[in-house]
């Protein structure tokens, strides 16, 4: 099952800072957290759409991706500047979740590329998901843990691990938390890639079926 992805793992400073955040969180007393739900930084990305394709349909999907090249922006830089969750579950006084992610700062170039790719592949019938696209870079995900159970987001927000990234407290679980990773963690992006979901290359990254460069 391929996905369209904007790779973010190419920035070594971003990988190092995400890894440091993950280690600090793992060392804190956070309920529901264990190493099995940590996403390796070598797999950091933004998903633009998930497709269910048979292997013989991949070349046509790649051809469509390449056809979009003249319409892709050549000046895309992505900064991750907020912390948030998916699938929140609020059990007073705590908030629990299945996914912790870093959100990208909005920009005209990112908005243009993500909307273009998602719209054109939906129009072609490759993407059938009807929910609005939500760009996010996952750092914790309980989907591989069995039985699946959430982690306590309230514990993460109160952990000292966030002091360097989010110095303004108190932090609310009901809104994205602004964070500062620094200018060296901004990722210059020159490709959109077609990755195989669940795949693992020798270095731990996703396996790429192909890419368009811009």
């Amino acid at each position: 099952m391929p996905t369209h992805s904007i790779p973010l793992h190419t920035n070594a400073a971003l990988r190092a800072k995400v890894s440091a955040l993950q280690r600090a969180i793992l060392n804190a007393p956070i309920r529901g957290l264990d190493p099995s739900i940590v996403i390796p930084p070598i797999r950091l990305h933004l998903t633009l759409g998930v497709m269910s394709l048979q292997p013989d349909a991949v070349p046509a999907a790649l051809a469509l991706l390449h056809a979009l090249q003249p319409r892709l922006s050549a000046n895309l830089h992505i900064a991750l500047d907020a912390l948030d969750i998916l699938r929140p579950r609020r059990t007073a006084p705590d908030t629990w979740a299945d996914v912790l992610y870093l959100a990208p700062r909005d920009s005209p170039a990112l908005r243009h590329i993500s909307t273009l790719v998602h719209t054109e592949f939906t129009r072609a019938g490759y993407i059938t998901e009807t929910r609005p696209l939500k760009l996010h870079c996952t750092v914790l995900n309980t989907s591989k843990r069995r039985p699946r159970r959430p982690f306590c987001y309230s514990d993460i927000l109160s952990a000292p691990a966030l002091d360097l990234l989010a110095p303004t407290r108190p932090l609310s679980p009901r809104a994205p938390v602004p964070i500062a990773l620094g200018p060296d963690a901004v990722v210059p992006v020159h490709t959109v890639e077609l990755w195989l979901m669940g795949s693992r290359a020798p270095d731990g990254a996703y396996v790429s079926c192909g890419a368009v460069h811009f």
Side-chain angles (χ1 to χ4, degrees):
M1 182 181 290
T3 68
H4 300 94
S5 299
I6 294 178
L8 301 180
H9 67 287
T10 53
N11 184 304
L14 177 62
R15 293 199 309 270
K17 291 183 178 185
V18 170
S19 180
L21 172 64
Q22 292 170 326
R23 287 195 305 271
I25 290 175
L26 280 172
N27 289 331
I30 295 169
R31 289 166 287 174
L33 191 65
D34 65 63
S36 71
I37 70 172
V38 174
I39 303 300
I42 194 67
R43 297 170 76 81
L44 296 177
H45 67 281
L46 299 177
T47 297
L48 302 182
V50 177
M51 303 178 293
S52 180
L53 298 180
Q54 296 300 319
D56 59 0
V58 171
L62 279 173
L64 176 56
L65 186 61
H66 282 279
L68 300 179
Q69 183 180 34
R71 301 161 63 187
L72 297 175
S73 170
N75 186 28
L76 177 59
H77 292 75
I78 294 179
L80 302 174
D81 66 355
L83 188 75
D84 208 350
I85 54 173
L86 297 177
R87 296 171 56 106
R89 305 171 195 178
R90 295 184 171 90
T91 305
D94 296 318
T95 296
W96 299 72
D98 284 317
V99 174
L100 179 73
Y101 70 90
L102 300 175
R105 181 184 303 152
D106 187 32
S107 72
L110 178 58
R111 199 179 317 125
H112 168 72
I113 289 176
S114 59
T115 301
L116 174 64
V117 173
H118 191 267
T119 299
E120 292 300 324
F121 274 80
T122 299
R123 184 176 294 144
Y126 290 118
I127 296 175
T128 58
E129 175 62 66
T130 58
R131 291 177 297 181
L133 178 64
K134 187 179 183 68
L135 295 176
H136 61 283
C137 177
T138 304
V139 293
L140 299 177
N141 192 339
T142 66
S143 63
K144 302 300 183 184
R145 180 163 63 184
R146 295 292 181 269
R148 186 172 190 176
R149 63 187 188 279
F151 55 84
C152 185
Y153 185 49
S154 299
D155 289 350
I156 291 178
L157 293 185
S158 63
L162 291 189
D163 286 345
L164 294 178
L165 297 182
T168 302
R169 291 185 180 272
L171 305 177
S172 170
R174 296 182 178 271
V177 175
I179 60 171
L181 292 173
D184 58 337
V186 175
V187 184
V189 176
H190 304 289
T191 65
V192 174
E193 301 197 17
L194 199 64
W195 286 355
L196 287 177
M197 287 183 64
S199 64
R200 192 172 295 274
D203 63 353
Y206 285 95
V207 173
S208 177
C209 299
V212 61
H213 298 264
F214 51 90

